[in-house]
Amino acid sequence: LETTTLKHIVMALEITDANFEEVVLKSDKPVLVDFWAAWCGPCRMLAPIVEELSQEFAGEAVVGKVDVDTQTKYAGEFGIRNIPTVLIFKDGKMVQRQVGVAPKNTYANLIKENL
């Protein structure tokens, strides 16, 4: 039952070096990008928040994640030194940066400010 239910839930996109330009920079909607890594404890705390935001803003904004261990190009380009770091993009430009774990409403407000 769980597996069939999960198919209908919107999940945060896995953003890669290969699709970053298309998914993030060319989006006509604001984009929240969570730069994270599997070994990062605070990143694991942020993960459920990112998933909830992807559901709450489905159709209004794009919510995705970049694994900095396997997808290094844009993490380097945007100067990601500490994780988790969440960047907000609008019209192809990075407009906001949040380093470290913050309450869910902090991220929700960053999206709302850019809708």
Side-chain angles (χ1 to χ4, degrees):
L1 181 65
E2 260 184 58
T3 49
T4 53
T5 313
L6 290 177
K7 284 179 188 170
H8 301 295
I9 293 175
V10 177
M11 301 286 281
L13 290 171
E14 290 297 327
I15 299 174
T16 64
D17 290 348
N19 71 10
F20 192 96
E21 187 176 342
E22 192 63 40
V23 171
V24 179
L25 302 180
K26 293 183 177 175
S27 176
D28 59 350
K29 297 179 175 77
V31 185
L32 178 147
V33 182
D34 171 24
F35 288 85
W36 71 286
W39 50 264
C40 162
C43 298
R44 289 196 297 271
M45 291 168 47
L46 181 56
I49 293 171
V50 171
E51 294 300 339
E52 288 174 25
L53 292 168
S54 71
Q55 292 176 36
E56 289 173 26
F57 289 95
E60 293 179 82
V62 176
V63 176
K65 303 165 67 102
V66 173
D67 182 339
V68 297
D69 283 341
T70 60
Q71 310 299 319
T72 56
K73 179 182 178 188
Y74 291 96
E77 213 168 283
F78 291 102
I80 306 300
R81 306 223 186 313
N82 300 303
I83 52 172
T85 293
V86 169
L87 302 182
I88 304 290
F89 290 82
K90 185 173 186 175
D91 301 323
K93 294 180 176 49
M94 195 262 290
V95 292
Q96 310 220 230
R97 175 184 298 255
Q98 172 69 45
V99 179
V101 179
K104 181 180 167 186
N105 64 357
T106 300
Y107 303 105
N109 289 337
L110 289 175
I111 295 171
K112 287 176 191 166
E113 287 169 20
N114 289 286
L115 285 176

